[in-house]
Amino acid sequence: MRVYDRTALILFIFSMRAKSHEGKMQVELAHLNHLSSRLTKGWSHLERQKGGIGVRGGPGEKQIELDRRMLGQRIKQLKIKLLKLEKQRANQRGARRRSKVFTIAIVGYTNAGKSTLFNRLTSENILAENKLFATLDTTSRKLFIEYGHDLVISDTVGFIKNLPTTLIEAFKSTLEEASDADLLLHIVDISNTNKSEQILQVEKILEEIGANNVQQILVLNQIDKIKLNAGYDRDEYGRINRVQLSAIKGDGIEFLKKAIVERSLSYINERNGDYA
Ligand SMILES: Nc1nc2c(ncn2[C@@H]2O[C@H](COP(=O)(O)OP(=O)(O)OP(=O)(O)O)[C@@H](O)[C@H]2O)c(=O)[nH]1
Ligand SMILES: [Mg+2]
């Protein structure tokens, strides 16, 4: 039986899910980076075995150099290509910022229901499945709520405890969508027994990608599973900071829309200097 370490397993799942060109390259880069770290460890063991004291350049050494060079070349190639896409993405975000569109990113632990919520809000049909990392690519859509201003909402890759750093690195440009947003919908599967731990893990990754200062609304999803009522709370500033809903049934979606409208309005007012 094949044995995977945790990072390799996550990479394996990612490689099965990757669909877009960019997603595939990101996974390959993460994989090669992981491999090159394993390579050193693997060969040093062999070198120790074959090369005795005073024997330099054991049989392993030539091969490892070759492998490393090949890996290095491919890694470099991928980085250049990804950098190009990253720039395109940054341009798009810049254009959005200039056109003063309010941007929202849905973030959360894998399988919390991000894509289901995205589909519910945008009437899209993104793959939502009871699978880890069903979504790898960021999808952005205009969001129409009865309100005159443009909103753009993005569905993002799911987070997981101790997301391997090779993956964070490779998916940086995808994750940047979150750090660049005006509002994060942090979605939690409230029926999950590990929800508190998952919230902490998501917060930790948000901090790592520099998204911890973006405004947040905590969306407690899947209330249908534990027969909880839809509802919302406000913080001490009167802003809706928590919504309980069911993305699948639609209960409570109106509260989230209300929250989004309020937040985007106050953002626009603030930007126009009304509160200055
Ligand atoms: N009962 C119930 N199931 C839900 C709800 N929201 C999502 N689900 C289910 O939870 C599973 C995961 O949903 P997704 O929307 O794919 O979750 P995700 O957060 O996008 O997952 P990744 O993209 O893998 O990170 C699917 O089987 C959904 O049908 C909900 O409100 N109630
Ligand atoms: Mg998804």
Side-chain angles (χ1 to χ4, degrees), residues 113-116 126-129 133-136 155-156 158:
K114 296 178 295 297
S115 299
T116 309
I126 286 189
L127 177 76
E129 271 184 299
F133 306 114
T135 309
L136 282 193
D155 181 24
T156 67

Side-chain angles (χ1 to χ4, degrees), residues 1 10 31 59 62 86 90 92 98 108 117 127 167-168 176 236 250 269:
M1 206 179 267
I10 294 176
H31 188 199
K62 264 207 183 109
E86 197 177 315
Q92 283 167 2
R98 276 190 299 280
L117 182 69
L127 177 76
L167 270 177
I168 296 193
E176 263 166 15
E236 68 264 39
N269 286 338

Side-chain angles (χ1 to χ4, degrees), residues 77-266:
Q77 215 177 33
L78 284 168
K79 277 188 177 161
I80 292 171
K81 286 187 179 166
L82 282 168
L83 198 69
K84 227 167 131 187
L85 290 174
E86 197 177 315
K87 278 186 187 147
Q88 271 174 19
R89 208 188 273 278
N91 275 340
Q92 283 167 2
R93 278 200 303 263
R96 264 190 240 144
R97 212 176 303 127
R98 276 190 299 280
S99 66
K100 303 193 169 44
V101 178
F102 187 75
T103 58
I104 304 165
I106 304 180
V107 295
Y109 212 77
T110 181
N111 224 31
K114 296 178 295 297
S115 299
T116 309
L117 182 69
F118 180 85
N119 290 341
R120 166 73 54 186
L121 287 170
T122 60
S123 318
E124 267 295 329
N125 220 345
I126 286 189
L127 177 76
E129 271 184 299
N130 193 10
K131 262 185 184 174
L132 298 182
F133 306 114
T135 309
L136 282 193
D137 303 312
T138 303
T139 310
S140 303
R141 288 285 177 276
K142 269 197 174 171
L143 180 63
F144 298 99
I145 304 185
E146 300 135 50
Y147 164 61
H149 199 79
D150 278 345
L151 309 174
V152 167
I153 187 161
S154 304
D155 181 24
T156 67
V157 57
F159 297 171
I160 195 169
K161 189 179 172 179
N162 301 329
L163 193 67
T165 39
T166 44
L167 270 177
I168 296 193
E169 183 54 32
F171 277 77
K172 215 179 69 208
S173 75
T174 312
L175 292 167
E176 263 166 15
E177 212 75 36
S179 47
D180 235 41
D182 297 310
L183 174 67
L184 297 180
L185 303 180
H186 176 172
I187 174 160
V188 179
D189 172 4
I190 195 174
S191 74
N192 195 299
T193 45
N194 279 330
K195 57 178 178 288
S196 310
E197 164 77 7
Q198 294 182 345
I199 291 175
L200 288 178
Q201 290 300 331
V202 170
E203 296 291 347
K204 198 173 142 198
I205 294 169
L206 286 176
E207 201 176 322
E208 266 173 69
I209 60 172
N212 50 329
N213 288 325
V214 183
Q215 286 189 40
Q216 249 192 56
I217 296 176
L218 196 64
V219 179
L220 304 174
N221 186 31
Q222 315 214 13
I223 53 167
D224 55 297
K225 275 198 189 156
I226 53 167
K227 305 211 160 45
L228 210 69
N229 285 332
Y232 64 90
D233 296 320
R234 290 185 185 274
D235 63 14
E236 68 264 39
Y237 306 106
R239 298 179 303 195
I240 297 178
N241 63 343
R242 182 200 275 256
V243 180
Q244 281 171 210
L245 54 75
S246 164
I248 244 178
K249 298 256 162 78
D251 304 340
I253 290 289
E254 69 276 14
F255 298 137
L256 182 61
K257 287 187 176 169
K258 180 182 165 75
I260 292 172
V261 168
E262 286 184 13
R263 292 270 182 148
S264 58
L265 275 175
S266 76

